[in-house]
Amino acid sequence: MGKKFYIRTFGCQMNKHDSERIAGLLSECHFQETLEIGQAEVIIYNTCSVRENADNRLFGHLSQLASLKERKRSLKVVVAGCIAQKMKEDLLERSPHVDIVVGPNDLGALPHLIRMSEEKKARLCQARDKPQQEITSLPSKRKSAFKAWLPIMTGCNNFCSYCIVPYVRGREHSRPFEEVLTEAQELVDDGVVEITLLGQNVNSYHDGNGRGFFHLLEAVSQIEGAKRIRFATSHPKDLSPEVIDLIAQRENICNHIHLPLQSGSNRILSHMNRKYTREHFLHLTSLIQERIPEAALSTDIIVGYLSEEEEDFWDTVDMLKKCRFDQAFIFEFSPRPGTTASMMEDRISKAEKQRRFRMVNDLQKEISWQKNRSYIGRCITVLVEGRSKKDPGEISGRTDNNKVVNFPGSSELIGKMVSVKIVDAGAFSLKGIAHVPRRTTSHENCVIFKGELQRISD
């Protein structure tokens, strides 16, 4: 039996997928995954560096390994991902508990690095700016039998002033069109119900032969048996009306779009190098709401960005009121080393950032609660994902438009589509009961939800 490894993942969906590839790669090399960190002979932290608190969390976790390494001298600690790419050898100097640093472009070298570290009793770093091999060629060990990430591109060319992604993930690189379709078909054949197309900016996908994201999304949606298709993430400057119309037309493309606003102020958007205006963003959201009435919109907001004045902040508040997002991920601005913003004076105090954060967060919670309340009494199809984290007596899943629903049920329903009647709602989730509709010859007391006829009277 091979050595046991433990993976802890921080950050975005791309990181989660990279962790699945690390697990697949090590499993092929006869390592065995464990969920207990104390049993592991190799501990891997797959990291995110988008926010400052991600760095702090990592070093907090690393410091806790001191006693474990004292008890287990052969233990190897690996830091992978974006912080590894950003810090490289500096990470080895800063943290004596780390044995191996490996960047996102060199994940395929990890088994070799582990062996070399053991044989030479050395601490190693490999974090090159260009991939050692195509990341998509690595094996993958999915966490779910019925959900899968499908990367269609890596990297980013946008260079938003606050964002470190282009520096740690590199420039945009799109996968071949047919390769993506082949993998999507393989996932469906393997029983996957929900596929999420992944990229830092999926809307800028292009295959070099005139086919962009619209064509790829259309082709994937035509695969027989592909029941749910999601994508993340969209950049507002690149989301096209054609993609919006395609979502409206295809029942298996989910009614959820994550559209990062970041700021409601044109002055701040320009400073951020976002390449769109609040007027363009409002046009997009109006188009989505008009053509996909059931669509749920989520977004990202940064408060306290560098020179954000009170007027700029209230522009953001105004956009939340106008767009009425279903969900917003709100962050206080923190400069990331190496970005354009890190070279400028940060004039907003921590206390002021916190005040603005609380105001925006409270407003968004109220909007989310109001929007979720509108689902009470409706019956909606839920893909059951697992046991509820808050109540072990319940199961939890997501609707087509990404609403979390908790309801009483058996673990046998995990991975299945279930009709659920919504009986209550909070700001972050819905509560329901499994629903078996009566036979009917009439459409009375029913609603249409992404092409599905659902009874609401029972």
Side-chain angles (χ1 to χ4, degrees):
M1 185 176 293
K3 294 180 181 294
K4 292 183 178 180
F5 68 93
Y6 168 89
I7 302 179
R8 175 73 183 270
T9 307
F10 304 86
C12 67
Q13 295 102 322
M14 192 69 77
N15 270 28
K16 293 175 183 177
H17 182 66
D18 282 351
S19 289
E20 291 183 344
R21 293 193 179 281
I22 292 170
L25 181 66
L26 292 181
S27 296
E28 264 200 0
C29 295
H30 309 294
F31 288 72
Q32 180 184 2
E33 187 170 9
T34 177
L35 300 179
E36 299 294 331
I37 192 169
Q39 296 179 3
E41 293 153 288
V42 178
I43 295 173
I44 303 159
Y45 289 130
N46 190 20
T47 63
C48 168
S49 63
V50 171
R51 309 290 171 193
E52 183 179 15
N53 63 353
D55 295 33
N56 297 334
R57 286 176 65 197
L58 169 66
F59 288 108
H61 284 288
L62 289 175
S63 67
Q64 295 171 14
L65 294 179
S67 59
L68 187 57
K69 290 208 72 169
E70 282 293 321
R71 298 195 306 271
K72 192 183 293 188
R73 296 286 184 174
S74 62
L75 175 67
K76 295 296 177 185
V77 176
V78 179
V79 176
C82 294
I83 292 180
Q85 187 69 32
K86 178 182 70 172
M87 296 189 67
K88 299 184 180 180
E89 289 85 355
D90 290 345
L91 187 53
L92 295 176
E93 294 183 15
R94 178 168 173 178
S95 181
H97 309 313
V98 175
D99 300 288
I100 297 168
V101 173
V102 59
N105 294 326
D106 286 283
L107 295 181
L110 184 53
H112 172 72
L113 292 172
I114 293 172
R115 287 194 301 271
M116 292 298 293
S117 180
E118 291 172 340
E119 291 172 7
K120 296 187 175 183
K121 307 288 192 245
R123 302 171 72 210
L124 304 172
C125 173
Q126 187 164 319
R128 292 179 285 190
D129 294 332
K130 292 185 178 180
Q132 178 195 28
Q133 66 184 105
E134 286 290 342
I135 193 70
T136 52
S137 68
L138 300 180
S140 179
K141 182 181 177 184
R142 295 198 316 270
K143 295 294 183 185
S144 169
F146 55 91
K147 294 178 62 177
W149 315 110
L150 176 50
I152 66 171
M153 62 184 300
T154 58
C156 183
N157 291 348
N158 288 309
F159 289 92
C160 299
S161 65
Y162 55 83
C163 186
I164 199 170
V165 168
Y167 305 97
V168 293
R169 288 281 182 178
R171 306 301 177 267
E172 287 179 359
H173 173 69
S174 297
R175 292 179 65 187
F177 196 93
E178 286 74 16
E179 183 180 292
V180 175
L181 287 186
T182 297
E183 186 171 343
Q185 182 67 66
E186 290 171 351
L187 291 171
V188 171
D189 292 344
D190 196 36
V192 169
V193 176
E194 181 177 294
I195 296 172
T196 301
L197 306 180
L198 280 185
Q200 256 71 44
N201 177 18
V202 292
N203 295 114
S204 63
Y205 172 90
H206 59 87
D207 72 341
N209 294 312
R211 292 177 294 189
F213 181 62
F214 167 82
H215 303 95
L216 183 65
L217 184 61
E218 181 182 44
V220 173
S221 71
Q222 291 173 339
I223 294 175
E224 186 175 352
K227 296 180 180 178
R228 277 191 177 182
I229 301 162
R230 300 188 186 277
F231 58 88
T233 294
S234 290
H235 194 295
K237 75 178 178 64
D238 296 316
L239 179 62
S240 68
E242 290 77 18
V243 168
I244 294 170
D245 285 340
L246 183 64
I247 298 169
Q249 294 161 8
R250 298 295 167 90
E251 293 186 8
N252 61 350
I253 303 178
C254 291
N255 285 333
H256 170 244
I257 300 175
H258 184 72
L259 201 61
L261 171 63
Q262 306 301 4
S263 174
S265 162
N266 281 337
R267 187 179 74 85
I268 296 298
L269 288 172
S270 176
H271 203 291
M272 288 177 167
N273 194 35
R274 290 293 286 171
K275 300 184 178 71
Y276 58 85
T277 63
R278 60 181 279 130
E279 290 78 18
H280 175 73
F281 195 96
L282 283 170
H283 171 70
L284 274 181
T285 56
S286 297
L287 201 61
I288 292 167
Q289 290 159 359
E290 173 192 331
R291 299 185 184 181
I292 320 172
E294 290 290 350
L297 276 174
S298 56
T299 197
D300 296 333
I301 300 289
I302 296 174
V303 297
Y305 173 84
L306 292 175
S307 61
E308 182 185 76
E309 303 290 350
E310 193 73 8
E311 182 180 355
D312 300 312
F313 171 69
W314 285 107
D315 281 344
T316 297
V317 171
D318 179 63
M319 286 292 280
L320 260 67
K321 291 177 179 178
K322 283 183 166 69
C323 297
R324 293 185 60 78
F325 300 104
D326 292 75
Q327 186 179 22
F329 300 92
I330 306 162
F331 306 94
E332 298 172 25
F333 171 72
S334 59
R336 309 310 294 130
T339 63
T340 304
S342 69
M343 305 172 195
M344 304 175 189
E345 182 185 3
D346 186 359
R347 297 187 297 185
I348 313 298
S349 70
K350 179 67 174 175
E352 180 59 23
K353 289 177 183 178
Q354 291 174 338
R355 182 186 74 88
R356 294 178 186 182
F357 174 89
R358 286 193 298 270
M359 290 181 64
V360 171
N361 191 54
D362 289 346
L363 171 61
Q364 182 56 49
K365 282 177 66 176
E366 177 64 24
I367 293 171
S368 297
W369 178 77
Q370 290 174 3
K371 298 201 77 170
N372 284 350
R373 293 282 297 174
S374 70
Y375 286 83
I376 294 176
R378 297 176 61 174
C379 293
I380 301 176
T381 301
V382 173
L383 173 58
V384 182
E385 297 179 345
R387 305 296 324 175
S388 170
K389 295 178 181 179
K390 293 186 176 180
D391 186 344
E394 294 186 335
I395 52 179
S396 180
R398 290 180 187 269
T399 66
D400 164 274
N401 62 358
N402 211 41
K403 301 284 185 181
V404 175
V405 182
N406 299 298
F407 62 101
S410 165
S411 295
E412 294 177 356
L413 294 175
I414 294 174
K416 294 182 171 58
M417 299 280 198
V418 179
S419 180
V420 178
K421 181 178 180 181
I422 306 304
V423 297
D424 200 2
F428 305 110
S429 64
L430 307 173
K431 191 170 183 62
I433 54 174
H435 174 65
V436 180
R438 295 196 306 264
R439 290 183 178 275
T440 180
T441 58
S442 168
H443 288 182
E444 184 181 1
N445 294 327
C446 295
V447 293
I448 299 295
F449 189 83
K450 196 63 174 179
E452 296 180 6
L453 193 62
Q454 299 289 355
R455 176 180 297 280
I456 62 173
S457 60
D458 291 353

